[in-house]
Amino acid sequence: MDNLTDEMNLLVTLNAGYLAPLKVMLYSVHANNPGERIHLWLLHASLTSSEVASVRQLTDSFGWSFSNEQVTTDFAAGVPLIKRYPKEMYFRLLSGQILPPTVKRVIYSDPDVLVINPLRPLWTLDLQGKMLAAAVHRGVTKLVDGLNQLRLGTTTAYFNSGVLVIDLDQARAKIKLGDITAAIQQYESELILPDQDILNFLYGADILEIPEEIWNYDTRKYVVYQTRSLNAHEIHWVMAHTVVLHYCGTPKPWEAASDSKFTGLFLHYQQQLARDKSVTTGG
């Protein structure tokens, strides 16, 4: 990825339940990546034409490229469904099979994030031959790695699937729906976060670790990050250096019960989107 001005491919996969926060996320990307050429790939199974159009209107107002990639009924039918979890969660892993072969790399992001600094360094990241890049949410110690290694029988760190860089050529060669289906059927009782567990179980050895404090900051863990960094990573550091704030867990920042250090920042972008007369989101 030598060209520092090439178009960045941003991938999102979701159902209608996350459409509103997705638009806030996209607005934050636009606000903090001025002048960037961005191509949004919207990957879904069930959004209506009007829902898709509302996202397209937003990306058009940003001057971005946009592609609507609806997963075929036949393909979606082959994805095993686990109660409480939408099948769309697997599409990020299977994006190599779904997106056109001309697309070589994507940044995948969950919709429940804010992007508060430039994404370009993640786009140009040297994957060092790995298929994926992801962060690990460790807490103060590495205890969580050990617990998940015992649970899943893995030897690598436990990666969070909320923000990924994906080498799609490698993914097309290595990630197979049949492998995912077989792993889910065999280990369903052990799966806590199914797609994330599968990512780690099948592909953990092919993931390059990136710093969570910068690329996948768990907004619940401000005190943990501060403690681990001996107070270096306080709020001023976060606003200057962190790129992706990830609103993991519940309540989500758009819900009335949310009252964390980072709730107000999400509400700020939500308000800015609502007030910006240059964008039309269709609701």
Side-chain angles (χ1 to χ4, degrees):
M1 309 303 296
D2 298 325
N3 189 347
L4 296 181
T5 60
D6 67 338
E7 187 173 68
M8 292 193 290
N9 292 310
L10 181 61
L11 172 68
V12 293
T13 70
L14 71 160
N15 57 28
Y18 271 86
L19 206 53
L22 169 70
K23 293 171 184 176
V24 178
M25 183 270 273
L26 297 177
Y27 193 81
S28 74
V29 174
H30 168 65
N32 294 299
N33 290 265
E36 281 286 7
R37 295 172 57 231
I38 294 175
H39 191 137
L40 181 70
W41 297 85
L42 178 64
L43 190 50
H44 67 96
S46 58
L47 294 180
T48 66
S49 57
S50 63
E51 288 165 346
V52 171
S54 73
V55 179
R56 183 188 294 273
Q57 288 167 344
L58 190 61
T59 57
D60 284 352
S61 74
F62 297 159
W64 294 1
S65 303
F66 176 82
S67 291
N68 171 39
E69 297 288 331
Q70 183 158 10
V71 177
T72 64
T73 304
D74 288 348
F75 188 92
V79 178
L81 197 60
I82 295 179
K83 289 178 182 176
R84 298 189 298 117
Y85 292 100
K87 57 179 173 288
E88 284 83 0
M89 72 163 70
Y90 299 105
F91 294 169
R92 75 192 91 178
L93 292 179
L94 297 164
S95 57
Q97 323 297 329
I98 301 167
L99 298 182
T102 51
V103 186
K104 304 298 185 183
R105 172 183 284 211
V106 294
I107 296 174
Y108 166 82
S109 176
D110 280 351
D112 59 344
V113 312
L114 288 179
V115 173
I116 62 171
N117 279 303
L119 275 171
R120 173 66 52 178
L122 186 62
W123 175 249
T124 57
L125 177 73
D126 179 1
L127 287 175
Q128 301 174 29
K130 300 283 190 179
M131 177 172 62
L132 300 146
V136 177
H137 288 163
R138 283 208 169 88
V140 177
T141 70
K142 293 189 177 184
L143 177 63
V144 68
D145 284 346
L147 291 174
N148 282 299
Q149 286 166 4
L150 285 172
R151 182 170 62 86
L152 297 172
T154 56
T155 57
T156 60
Y158 185 75
F159 295 95
N160 182 275
S161 60
V163 178
L164 303 169
V165 182
I166 309 173
D167 177 337
L168 289 177
D169 280 344
Q170 285 200 57
R172 290 178 183 110
K174 297 177 181 178
I175 299 180
K176 305 298 183 187
L177 177 57
D179 295 339
I180 294 172
T181 302
I184 290 171
Q185 290 171 343
Q186 184 173 353
Y187 297 101
E188 182 171 354
S189 62
E190 282 86 37
L191 300 181
I192 297 174
L193 297 169
D195 72 314
Q196 192 163 278
D197 284 350
I198 293 298
L199 171 75
N200 284 275
F201 179 69
L202 291 178
Y203 310 113
D206 217 348
I207 302 176
L208 175 72
E209 185 174 347
I210 52 178
E212 61 174 308
E213 297 90 343
I214 297 174
W215 299 115
N216 194 336
Y217 186 106
D218 185 339
T219 57
R220 301 170 298 182
K221 303 292 179 60
Y222 175 74
V223 173
V224 170
Y225 291 125
Q226 201 176 13
T227 302
R228 202 165 66 191
S229 67
L230 303 179
N231 293 329
H233 294 175
E234 38 68 73
I235 194 65
H236 298 274
W237 185 97
V238 172
M239 295 306 297
H241 296 93
T242 296
V243 179
V244 181
L245 293 173
H246 190 180
Y247 292 87
C248 300
T250 56
K252 296 300 186 187
W254 55 89
E255 297 172 339
S258 177
D259 188 20
S260 79
K261 181 176 287 286
F262 295 101
T263 299
L265 189 59
F266 180 91
L267 297 177
H268 167 74
Y269 280 102
Q270 188 176 57
Q271 285 184 335
Q272 291 300 110
L273 172 61
R275 291 169 178 163
D276 192 334
K277 302 304 181 187
S278 69
V279 303
T280 305
T281 64

